[in-house]
């Protein structure tokens, strides 16, 4: 009888211990007093962030990225002048060459006054490295495409590229604490880059119409984005989008060529 009681007692103890172990494995450990319990990673040192878009807070590194964006836009627009037969796409590309050439001159002039020698930007993380590689791959693709396939690829890429540029500039505005001429340059970009994006979106719609498909651009209600306080979807039909960083002016659909 005593042996039976010992067996029951041991079984009960093992059962209680097993329940306790299972509970400790499945129940989260409460955070220490005063801890927030948040798992959000800390922002990278030396980086400004806005809704997932990041740029270096170092002035030279930021200028190098602006220079890279401008040069990429000019190169792709030059390919559009050569490989597209669509007058709307060609007009849009002509506007981009003018606007980004003027914008790049401002960047380089500012860098010169600050005695900064700009170079090809070095990626700060894996995300930026992949983005730069994707840009090179996109240029390589545009070099071989012709006609309608070029138009669709180029214009869709332009909408995405300007979304990326807007995000980076908004990150700079929120986190760089820029002053003087640099602050003015950033503010101008936050106002003008959305106009580029709208021009690209409207021209993409015309390309889709020419191909007999719908889904974006002129005449559509979707496609608007919200970067902070800026909403920049397709503007009402017939409105014009004034130029961008270079101050040129053209219609949102790109049908009026910049003189």
């Amino acid at each position: 009888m005593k042996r039976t009681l010992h067996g029951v007692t041991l079984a009960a103890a093992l059962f209680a211990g097993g329940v306790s172990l299972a509970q400790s494995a499945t129940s989260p450990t409460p955070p220490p007093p005063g801890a927030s319990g948040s798992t959000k990673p800390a922002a990278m040192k030396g980086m400004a962030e806005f809704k997932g878009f990041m740029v270096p807070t170092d002035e030279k590194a930021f200028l190098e990225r602006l220079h890279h964006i401008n040069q990429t836009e000019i190169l792709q627009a030059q390919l559009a002048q050569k490989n597209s037969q669509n007058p709307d796409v060609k007009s849009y590309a002509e506007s981009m060459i003018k606007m980004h050439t003027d914008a790049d001159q401002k960047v380089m002039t500012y860098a010169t006054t600050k005695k900064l020698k700009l170079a090809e930007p070095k990626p700060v993380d894996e995300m930026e490295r992949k983005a730069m590689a994707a840009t090179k791959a996109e240029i390589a693709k545009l070099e071989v495409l012709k006609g309608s396939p070029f138009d669709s690829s180029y214009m869709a890429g332009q909408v995405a590229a300007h979304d990326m540029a807007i995000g980076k500039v908004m990150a700079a505005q929120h986190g760089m604490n820029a002053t003087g001429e640099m602050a003015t340059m950033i503010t101008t970009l936050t106002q003008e880059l959305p106009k580029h994006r709208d021009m690209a979106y409207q021209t993409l719609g015309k390309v889709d119409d020419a191909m007999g498909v719908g889904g974006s651009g002129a005449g559509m209600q979707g496609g608007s984005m919200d970067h902070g306080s800026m909403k920049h979807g397709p503007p009402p039909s017939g409105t014009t989008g004034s130029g961008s960083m270079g101050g040129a002016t053209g219609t949102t659909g790109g049908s009026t060529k910049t003189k």
Side-chain angles (χ1 to χ4, degrees), residues 142-240:
L142 292 177
E143 287 176 340
V144 298
L145 291 177
K146 308 287 183 182
S148 293
F150 175 92
D151 298 337
S152 296
S153 182
Y154 172 59
M155 294 314 309
Q158 282 292 290
V159 175
H162 282 95
D163 284 339
M164 180 69 72
I166 292 166
K168 289 183 176 182
V169 171
M170 291 297 293
Q173 186 180 56
H174 281 72
M176 277 189 67
N177 297 319
T179 59
E181 191 174 348
M182 173 59 80
T184 300
M185 185 185 302
I186 292 173
T187 298
T188 300
L189 289 171
T190 64
Q191 296 168 349
E192 302 296 346
L193 280 174
K195 298 174 186 177
H196 284 206
R197 196 266 186 186
D198 286 341
M199 291 173 66
Y201 185 82
Q202 294 291 332
T203 307
L204 176 60
K206 293 185 178 183
V207 168
D208 288 345
D209 289 343
M211 295 178 63
V213 297
S216 63
M220 301 300 296
Q221 297 299 316
S224 63
M225 291 190 59
D226 182 4
H227 291 286
S229 61
M230 300 188 306
K231 294 182 182 293
H232 45 95
S237 177
T239 60
T240 59

Side-chain angles (χ1 to χ4, degrees), residues 10-208:
L10 178 60
L14 290 173
F15 175 77
V19 171
S20 176
L21 180 62
Q23 288 177 339
S24 66
T26 58
S27 300
T29 302
S36 64
S38 173
T39 58
K40 183 179 179 179
M44 291 177 59
K45 184 178 180 180
M47 299 293 290
E49 186 271 342
F50 177 77
K51 294 189 176 182
F53 295 96
M54 300 181 71
V55 291
T57 54
D58 176 74
E59 188 173 68
K60 178 176 180 290
F62 177 64
L63 288 172
E64 286 174 340
R65 279 152 181 80
L66 290 183
H67 179 57
H68 178 75
I69 289 171
N70 287 325
Q71 289 298 306
T72 299
E73 285 291 323
I74 293 168
L75 175 58
Q76 292 186 349
Q78 289 171 340
L79 290 173
Q81 294 282 32
K82 182 176 69 172
N83 293 351
S84 175
Q85 282 80 50
N86 186 307
D88 292 313
V89 174
K90 284 180 172 289
S91 180
Y92 169 84
E94 183 179 344
S95 295
M96 290 300 102
I97 291 172
K98 173 69 168 72
M99 294 172 183
H100 283 282
T101 297
D102 290 348
D104 206 42
Q105 288 175 351
K106 293 180 180 180
V107 169
M108 298 306 293
T109 298
Y110 178 82
T112 299
T113 62
K114 294 290 185 176
K115 295 181 171 56
L116 299 174
K117 186 176 181 180
L118 304 187
E120 188 73 12
K122 296 180 180 179
V124 296
D125 56 17
E126 184 65 10
M127 181 181 296
E128 189 172 37
R129 186 192 69 78
K130 289 182 177 180
M132 290 180 176
T135 298
K136 290 182 179 180
E138 179 68 15
I139 292 173
K141 180 176 69 174
L142 292 177
E143 287 176 340
V144 298
L145 291 177
K146 308 287 183 182
S148 293
F150 175 92
D151 298 337
S152 296
S153 182
Y154 172 59
M155 294 314 309
Q158 282 292 290
V159 175
H162 282 95
D163 284 339
M164 180 69 72
I166 292 166
K168 289 183 176 182
V169 171
M170 291 297 293
Q173 186 180 56
H174 281 72
M176 277 189 67
N177 297 319
T179 59
E181 191 174 348
M182 173 59 80
T184 300
M185 185 185 302
I186 292 173
T187 298
T188 300
L189 289 171
T190 64
Q191 296 168 349
E192 302 296 346
L193 280 174
K195 298 174 186 177
H196 284 206
R197 196 266 186 186
D198 286 341
M199 291 173 66
Y201 185 82
Q202 294 291 332
T203 307
L204 176 60
K206 293 185 178 183
V207 168
D208 288 345

